[in-house]
Amino acid sequence: MTQDRIPLAGVIGSPISHSRSPRLHQHWLKRYALPGYYIPMEIASADLESAVRSLPKLGFVGINVTIPHKEHIMSIVDLVSDRAALIGSVNTVIFRADGMIHGDNTDGYGFLENLRAGAPDWDPKSGPAAVIGAGGAARAILASLLDAGVPEVRLSNRTKNRADALQSEFGKRVQVYDWVQAGNMFEGAKTVVNASSLGMQGKPEMRIPLDGIERDAVVTDLVYTPLETPLLAHAKSIGCRTVDGLGMLLHQAAPGFERWFGMKPEVDEALRAAVLR
Ligand code: NAP
């Protein structure tokens, strides 16, 4: 690539119009006065490989990947990072100068950075974590909580065999609770995470009994529309430290931006405001 070629990045998915990533990256590009553009691109599954392979030729230095391409893209990239392999999906792609296409997953990193920023005294080793959900996001949460040193992860999901599959993959530190007994997971849990879509605008409400959540737990929700979900509102009302899900979206974007545009960006209030606007 010539020196003066303006670097391009973007997000691919289908649908893509709802994505907040363009606002986020454009905010950083403007803030750091860097040359570059970040573009949302709707790409159908059948066109994924040819589209991705043509992007470096157009000047792209990398892309984010969202639903429904996060798993499929793993078979297209040349290299998959260890953490992406563990999570089983790729959300960040780097088109390297040597022509190799590198796939990474920053969801677990974003999740932990958000918890550490929102609850600085959060200690993963202080006790069990309770996780609701066993979809794609839950895999990243499980991998990162175990890596951070949580002694036990309790997991409950409406479709139990998805939770069982995660348990067989991630091992004995994961304990599966039946969906009808999900409320029992909270006893003694120091970290509580909603990694399901329950509580999201337009989705069903969470009916799990929350009264077992203890005051000294740090409670976080991956859902960020609304910012204060019923789970977070309940946790706040009993005195828990709570961390909303928007921060995870912001933090997971930082490693990609740094690789593509050469500057480690800051996650701050101005960024939150730009994304919420
Ligand atoms: P997914 O793979 O589709 O999984 C959805 C999860 O929600 C599954 O565990 C599913 O249970 C559960 N669920 C859906 N409807 C349900 C219902 N009516 N009753 C009980 N459980 C239900 O989605 P995902 O990618 O894991 O994402 C999960 C949530 O996290 C979404 O709201 C997403 O927007 C959010 N998210 C946020 C961030 C962030 O940066 N803050 C990042 C990633 C994801 P079943 O297995 O039984 O279907």
Side-chain angles (χ1 to χ4, degrees), residues 11-24:
V11 56
I12 61 168
S14 182
I16 202 61
S17 57
H18 67 286
S19 173
R20 296 184 192 226
S21 295
R23 251 188 260 177
L24 202 163

Side-chain angles (χ1 to χ4, degrees), residues 51 62 106 158 168 213 219 237 245:
T106 62
R158 173 182 59 175
S168 349
I213 297 179
V219 181
S237 75

